[in-house]
Amino acid sequence: MLKKSVHAKAKDLKPFEFGDIIVYSLTLLLVAVLFLFLVVFPKSNHVSGFKVTVSGNEVFTYYTASDKYVIKELNGYVVEVDNTDGNYLLTVSSNDGHYNKILLDTANESAKVVESNCSLSKDCTFSPAITDSGAIICAPHSLKIVPILSDGSTEPITG
């Protein structure tokens, strides 16, 4: 009796066995379930405000629910707030002439840097408005704007 070679045995095998189809089906089901939870269902945490820090020190906090803000003094920095049409234009300036103007859009619950003298390219002014995620960072001025989530936390931001 002659034994079949390994090559001949491989030629006789089916491309998919029943067990393979089960594994592929379960994998596809897992991907579909993860897609539903991560993309389709809305986030449970919504923005409840925005926090502005300079060199890691909080200088301004805005709370959307109460439409109130708190200015914290930081040596060498001045924070000014103008209320126009229900929106707030926040100016954070330092004693050495650096400044950032931040628009807090209360209707859309968003924040955006609209003017700055940080560098020639003014990268932070081209950052998209942030709502319930993300951050705006002006590295030359060590300024950071982050949303405050409804549970009181902020998303972890490195940099």
Side-chain angles (χ1 to χ4, degrees), residues 4 7 21 25 45 51 75-77 80 84 86 98 113 119 123 129 137-138 148 156-157:
K4 282 187 170 182
H7 183 66
I21 293 172
S25 298
N45 249 340
K51 184 188 314 185
N75 197 16
Y77 288 89
E80 298 171 342
T84 56
H98 297 124
V113 175
S119 65
D123 292 334
I137 298 173
C138 179
I148 302 170
I157 305 294

Side-chain angles (χ1 to χ4, degrees), residues 51-59 74 77 141-144 159:
K51 184 188 314 185
V52 179
T53 61
V54 177
S55 299
N57 299 304
E58 189 174 327
V59 294
L74 180 62
Y77 288 89
H141 293 165
S142 300
L143 181 120
K144 188 184 299 184

Side-chain angles (χ1 to χ4, degrees), residues 4-15 17:
K4 282 187 170 182
S5 69
V6 173
H7 183 66
K9 286 181 182 179
K11 283 178 98 176
D12 292 338
L13 291 176
K14 295 178 188 174
E17 295 290 329

Side-chain angles (χ1 to χ4, degrees), residues 103-116:
L103 178 65
L104 297 175
D105 185 343
T106 56
N108 296 321
E109 296 183 343
S110 66
K112 178 169 180 44
V113 175
V114 292
E115 188 179 328
S116 179

Side-chain angles (χ1 to χ4, degrees), residues 16-39:
F16 295 103
E17 295 290 329
F18 181 73
D20 296 332
I21 293 172
I22 295 292
V23 169
Y24 295 143
S25 298
L26 289 175
T27 303
L28 185 62
L29 180 66
L30 177 65
V31 168
V33 168
L34 289 176
F35 177 79
L36 287 174
F37 279 107
L38 298 177
V39 177

